[in-house]
Amino acid sequence: MTVDDRELMTEISAQAQIAEQGRPKVADVLALANALQRDFPHRSVDEILTKLKSVWRARGLSWSGE
């Protein structure tokens, strides 16, 4: 895992924490993946979306936008 990947996962975790605090709101993970891809261009939107869904699923969060 690269430094950029660790930073990406840190940002995804921070976004998941925000989503947890805002329950029962549903996060638009596709919009979030697009926004994160601008900051982490070494990963595609699809790769980031997969990571987002994995973290959201592990935390029992809901999402929209696929």
Side-chain angles (χ1 to χ4, degrees):
M1 186 178 283
T2 67
V3 171
D4 285 337
D5 286 334
R6 283 192 292 276
E7 289 176 8
L8 172 60
M9 291 309 295
T10 297
E11 184 61 30
I12 288 173
S13 182
Q15 292 296 325
Q17 191 168 13
I18 290 167
E20 283 178 325
Q21 294 169 356
R23 281 184 179 161
K25 294 181 182 177
V26 175
D28 183 343
V29 291
L30 181 55
L32 184 52
N34 280 300
L36 287 172
Q37 202 275 328
R38 287 188 286 272
D39 293 332
F40 300 95
H42 71 288
R43 293 290 177 199
S44 70
V45 169
D46 286 338
E47 289 172 315
I48 294 171
L49 189 57
T50 298
K51 292 177 184 298
L52 280 165
K53 288 178 182 179
S54 176
V55 171
W56 257 240
R57 199 174 290 113
R59 293 185 182 211
L61 298 169
S62 299
W63 70 80
S64 67
E66 295 189 50

